[in-house]
Every structure is written in C-alpha cells, then in structure tokens.
C-alpha cells in the first residue's frame, strides 16, 4: 500500500513563499511522474505542475516563473517551491503520483491535501 502525505502548507502573506513536500511510503519500484494539483473553494481541481522521471516539467500558466516542482529520487519525495504567492493561489494542494510496482503494474495515487492560504 503506497501512501502520499503532503506537508508544508499554511498561512502566508502575499509575496511570501512556501515549500510543499510530498512524502511517499510503501513499495514503489519506479516513479513515472509526479504532479501537484490544487482546488479552491467552489472550483474544480486544476493542474499546477508536473514532473516526469526524466526531469521534464510542465506548469500552469498562472504559476510559471513563481513555482518550481522537483523530485528527490533517492527518497521518492516531491517538492513544490512556491514564491511570490498571491491570494488567488489559496487552495488545497494535492500531490499525485504515477508509479510502477515491482511487477511493473502502473498505479496512480493521491495524497490527502494540504491547505495553502495567502492573505492580501
């Protein structure tokens, strides 16, 4: 059973920074890709950023130049560095992991989310 746990959320003033972490536990043979998504009240969940095991990244236009996604391969831990935060970044942030088991079966897992609140 693979579990994802997000941490690092909190309350920050506009212009501030936060670093989210996505810690994995369980038997993961290979991470194919990791992504961060967010969901604001009354809105649908949206993509924030993704990274493949080859290091290719993709960002939502709204966060380009402010957010950076990364993976620590040795620890199977992902990060989302968020700078120059804006009130519209306020949301619950979710980690998503696409991974292979020892038997090369592909799974997709979600964390429980961490709240990010940016005050103006």
């Amino acid at each position: 059973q693979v579990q994802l746990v997000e941490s690092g959320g909190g309350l920050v003033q506009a212009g501030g920074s936060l670093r989210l972490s996505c810690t994995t536990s369980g038997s993961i043979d290979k991470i194919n890709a990791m992504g961060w998504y967010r969901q604001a009240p009354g809105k649908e969940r949206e993509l924030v950023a993704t990274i493949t095991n080859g290091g290719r990244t993709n960002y939502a236009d709204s966060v380009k130049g402010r957010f950076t996604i990364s993976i620590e391969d040795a620890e199977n831990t992902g990060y989302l560095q968020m700078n120059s935060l804006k009130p519209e970044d306020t949301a619950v942030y979710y980690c998503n992991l696409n991974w292979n088991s020892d038997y090369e079966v592909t799974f997709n897992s979600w964390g429980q989310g961490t709240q990010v609140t940016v005050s103006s």
Side-chain angles (χ1 to χ4, degrees), residues 3 10 15 20 38 40 42 45 53-54 57 59 63 67 76-77 89-91 93 95 105 110 117:
Q3 291 187 328
L20 304 183
R38 66 187 182 188
R45 189 174 297 189
N53 60 7
T57 58
Y59 295 93
V63 306
F67 291 10
N76 284 343
T77 298
D89 294 319
T90 295
Y93 283 71
C95 176
V105 177
W110 290 90
T117 303

Side-chain angles (χ1 to χ4, degrees), residues 24-55:
T24 66
S25 62
S27 181
I28 296 174
D29 183 61
K30 186 182 75 170
I31 291 177
N32 300 314
M34 176 177 283
W36 288 93
Y37 293 73
R38 66 187 182 188
Q39 187 167 19
K43 295 188 177 182
E44 294 186 353
R45 189 174 297 189
E46 64 176 1
L47 172 71
V48 176
T50 59
I51 184 169
T52 68
N53 60 7

Side-chain angles (χ1 to χ4, degrees), residues 5-115:
V5 177
E6 301 97 334
S7 61
L11 174 63
V12 64
Q13 289 189 331
S17 298
L18 286 173
R19 189 191 194 205
L20 304 183
S21 299
C22 177
T23 304
T24 66
S25 62
S27 181
I28 296 174
D29 183 61
K30 186 182 75 170
I31 291 177
N32 300 314
M34 176 177 283
W36 288 93
Y37 293 73
R38 66 187 182 188
Q39 187 167 19
K43 295 188 177 182
E44 294 186 353
R45 189 174 297 189
E46 64 176 1
L47 172 71
V48 176
T50 59
I51 184 169
T52 68
N53 60 7
R56 186 167 66 245
T57 58
N58 180 54
Y59 295 93
D61 288 342
S62 59
V63 306
K64 282 181 181 177
R66 300 188 297 122
F67 291 10
T68 303
I69 188 172
S70 61
I71 292 180
E72 176 60 52
D73 290 330
E75 299 179 354
N76 284 343
T77 298
Y79 302 96
L80 184 68
Q81 178 67 43
M82 305 186 296
N83 298 328
S84 301
L85 283 161
K86 304 175 181 180
E88 51 264 44
D89 294 319
T90 295
V92 177
Y93 283 71
Y94 297 90
C95 176
N96 175 267
L97 191 71
N98 185 279
W99 57 278
N100 284 1
S101 69
D102 294 345
Y103 297 98
E104 297 187 353
V105 177
T106 300
F107 295 89
N108 198 51
S109 300
W110 290 90
Q112 83 291 346
T114 185
Q115 176 70 47

